[in-house]
Amino acid sequence: MNIGIVGVGTVGSSVAKILKENADVISARAGVDIFVKSGVVKNLSKDRGLDIKLTTDVDELLNDESIDVIVELMGGVDEAFEVVKKALAKGKGVVTANKALLAYHRFELQEMAKKAAFELDTAYAGCFEYEASVAGGIPIINALRDGLSANHIESIRGIINGTCNYMMTKMMNEGVEYASILKEAQELGYAEADPTFDVGGYDAAHKLLILASIAYGIDVKPEDILIEGIQNVSKDDIAFAKEFGYVIKLLGIAKKDSDGVELRVHACLIKKDEMIAKIDGVMNGISVVGDKVGETLYYGPGAGGNATASAVVANIIDIARSGKSKPMMGYDKPMEGDFTLKSIEDIVSKYYLRINVSDKTGVLAKVTKLFEENNISIEIIFQKPTSGTCANLLISTHLACEKDIRNLITALEALEFVNKKPVMIRIV
Ligand SMILES: NC(=O)c1ccc[n+]([C@@H]2O[C@H](COP(=O)([O-])OP(=O)(O)OC[C@H]3O[C@@H](n4cnc5c(N)ncnc54)[C@H](OP(=O)(O)O)[C@@H]3O)[C@@H](O)[C@H]2O)c1
């Protein structure tokens, strides 16, 4: 089988190297030999330490009838979408690691792959695989689409951004402030110069949407769901978490009930004895609860050239083995009925709030009165002086409705002794 790699960067180079270095096991498992016919890059003069033919012209690969599978590893949305659409239309199989592409176009691609499989008679028409798009080296797509296919999926909770997990782990273990950990993560190459995509929760949201499509068949875009990052987590929040047996992590959560599906990405306080709370550093971990199997947990490296390429090559092997397209999301008809996205305001959770107040008589009484007026019952309250005249009130609640918490925050902000917008972290 011949493949063409569109984008021979970190992951693409590792794919080429693994196919060469592990050719013995790979051809035994695939049942055929797999060759990299050529690769596409932007800059031909970069030394990549590879002995494959490179070009800047993607059409060379798309028009080459001897190329069976296009491996899209260029990243981005629009250009990658064009490449993948053309590859499918030409009857080539496609493997991608591109979560951004799938966050926006997965349902259109599923339809195109289905059409190609039906109408075209090339060997790998309609084959479309994307294992590396979520949690790099962890075979979570495979687990969800195939291994757990007998279950109704009750929930997915994922630590699916290594940068955030590295930063939150360091903040928990070393008690340092967000800004200095971000600087360190950037120096180590774990965070980009502009870290917003990771620390703002957007990368995790792209991956969550892919998983939710497999679990619930739900077709929504990143703009439709709640996405918050870790930028507001402070040392005081960490101290509160430690005092009361929590860790703080960025989670992607997909959860269904009779009213619909909740999809959200945000920082969470998680009880420290939960399995998912123990996933530290740059590692990823995903808990999936099925109605028959119970809780299952998947752990491993979520990024890195070799780890990601391991999943890409597994997809190539899978296509070589069967030559048959399978339903991209794992189902051929709506399987869960009409699952709709639940409104953010209807989320029910426990909450933690940090309220910076001027330290005066009567403040606590006025704050707790507002909680009562908004139907929110306090579980723990803790006061921590911040400077001579100010203090942080650290408060956790019993179960409350998101709508009420938002009203409470607006009401708190309006009080003259509340100095900043209160910070809220959901407790799961
Ligand atoms: N890196 C990871 O750990 C990881 C993990 C999971 C998923 N992914 C996904 O894998 C994909 C690739 O990531 P990566 O880290 O390997 O990216 P990368 O190192 O930036 O590589 C991108 C490659 O695509 C080429 N390229 C980009 N735009 C192009 C264009 N318009 N025409 C021709 N070539 C173009 C680049 O050429 P030049 O080399 O000449 O610049 C480079 O070779 C992305 O979708 C990413 O989200 C990556």
Side-chain angles (χ1 to χ4, degrees):
M1 186 168 88
N2 288 324
I3 67 163
I5 307 179
V6 181
V8 191
T10 308
V11 183
S13 303
S14 293
V15 167
K17 283 179 191 152
I18 291 176
L19 283 169
K20 189 170 175 192
E21 288 165 11
N22 286 2
D24 51 351
V25 281
I26 289 171
S27 62
R29 289 179 179 143
V32 291
D33 292 332
I34 297 170
F35 301 102
V36 182
K37 185 91 191 288
S38 48
V40 181
V41 292
K42 255 200 290 205
N43 178 359
L44 279 175
S45 58
K46 231 188 248 178
D47 179 23
R48 295 160 209 270
L50 297 170
D51 55 2
I52 60 173
K53 183 178 165 256
L54 294 177
T55 170
T56 56
D57 181 8
V58 71
D59 287 327
E60 255 184 55
L61 274 67
L62 293 169
N63 293 329
D64 182 341
E65 286 186 5
S66 72
I67 291 182
D68 302 295
V69 174
I70 291 289
V71 182
E72 184 280 303
L73 296 169
M74 70 196 291
V77 179
D78 296 339
E79 264 186 287
F81 188 39
E82 288 308 309
V83 169
V84 168
K85 270 198 296 193
K86 285 184 190 163
L88 287 171
K90 285 182 177 287
K92 298 182 191 302
V94 172
V95 175
T96 182
N98 190 336
K99 55 232 164 193
L101 167 71
L102 295 170
Y104 285 95
H105 295 298
R106 60 201 181 284
F107 282 89
E108 287 152 278
L109 289 169
Q110 174 170 252
E111 285 312 304
M112 288 175 205
K114 228 164 134 177
K115 185 166 180 279
F118 189 67
E119 290 178 357
L120 304 174
D121 59 3
T122 50
Y124 303 102
C127 293
F128 191 109
E129 296 295 333
Y130 53 100
E131 181 60 71
S133 63
V134 181
I138 307 175
I140 184 63
I141 306 277
N142 204 310
L144 205 51
R145 194 177 58 178
D146 299 327
L148 301 179
S149 57
N151 290 259
H152 289 107
I153 303 301
E154 291 179 348
S155 68
I156 300 170
R157 290 180 304 157
I159 293 175
I160 42 185
N161 183 277
T163 309
C164 289
N165 206 39
Y166 173 81
M167 290 174 62
M168 292 314 308
T169 306
K170 280 276 195 173
M171 283 178 78
M172 283 303 303
N173 292 349
E174 296 171 20
V176 274
E177 279 292 5
Y178 172 85
S180 63
I181 281 302
L182 175 59
K183 191 163 171 284
E184 186 189 309
Q186 285 170 323
E187 280 161 8
L188 287 168
Y190 293 151
E192 303 282 339
D194 176 0
T196 320
F197 190 61
D198 288 315
V199 298
Y202 303 102
D203 171 76
H206 287 172
K207 297 166 183 169
L208 180 70
L209 291 188
I210 298 170
L211 297 181
S213 310
I214 301 171
Y216 305 117
I218 191 158
D219 181 8
V220 291
K221 303 264 186 292
E223 293 72 22
D224 303 325
I225 70 165
L226 172 71
I227 306 175
E228 291 170 4
I230 58 168
Q231 302 98 319
N232 290 327
V233 178
S234 80
K235 262 164 98 166
D236 278 354
D237 308 327
I238 298 285
F240 178 92
K242 281 190 171 158
E243 178 76 25
F244 295 102
Y246 293 104
V247 295
I248 304 181
K249 303 238 171 237
L250 183 87
L251 284 190
I253 299 174
K255 207 165 105 185
K256 71 156 188 169
D257 62 26
S258 53
D259 297 330
V261 177
E262 275 176 32
L263 293 179
R264 45 193 169 109
V265 173
H266 51 75
C268 297
L269 283 148
I270 313 169
K271 276 285 175 201
K272 71 173 196 284
D273 47 7
E274 284 223 30
M275 283 201 289
I276 196 134
K278 299 184 173 78
I279 289 153
D280 279 340
V282 288
M283 298 308 266
N284 281 197
I286 301 151
S287 151
V288 182
V289 179
D291 63 342
K292 300 301 171 201
V293 69
E295 183 174 18
T296 57
L297 185 75
Y298 307 86
Y299 170 84
N306 272 342
T308 309
S310 155
V312 172
V313 174
N315 281 164
I316 299 169
I317 294 171
D318 195 35
I319 291 178
R321 262 183 195 151
S322 72
K324 284 220 177 75
S325 73
K326 42 184 168 186
M328 195 177 137
M329 248 70 90
Y331 46 85
D332 258 335
K333 52 179 186 167
M335 37 140 209
E336 289 270 3
D338 286 328
F339 263 121
T340 48
L341 186 64
K342 248 173 113 165
S343 155
I344 292 160
E345 300 230 310
D346 293 337
I347 291 170
V348 174
S349 173
K350 289 170 127 191
Y351 294 84
Y352 156 88
L353 286 133
R354 168 168 36 94
I355 311 163
N356 189 266
V357 293
S358 303
D359 202 357
K360 296 185 202 161
T361 323
V363 162
L364 199 55
K366 285 185 184 146
V367 167
T368 51
K369 187 158 182 295
L370 276 186
F371 273 72
E372 193 190 327
E373 282 171 12
N374 284 284
N375 313 311
I376 298 161
S377 150
I378 291 174
E379 185 179 36
I380 298 167
I381 185 158
F382 202 63
Q383 178 167 340
K384 211 163 175 278
T386 53
S387 68
T389 56
C390 297
N392 274 337
L393 297 177
L394 310 176
I395 300 175
S396 70
T397 73
H398 291 288
L399 281 179
C401 187
E402 181 90 11
K403 186 165 32 122
D404 294 335
I405 285 285
R406 289 180 178 215
N407 288 339
L408 169 69
I409 290 173
T410 309
L412 285 167
E413 257 186 297
L415 295 173
E416 39 83 30
F417 55 79
V418 171
N419 301 318
K420 299 177 199 161
K421 183 178 166 102
V423 169
M424 173 264 278
I425 305 178
R426 295 170 191 82
I427 303 174
V428 294

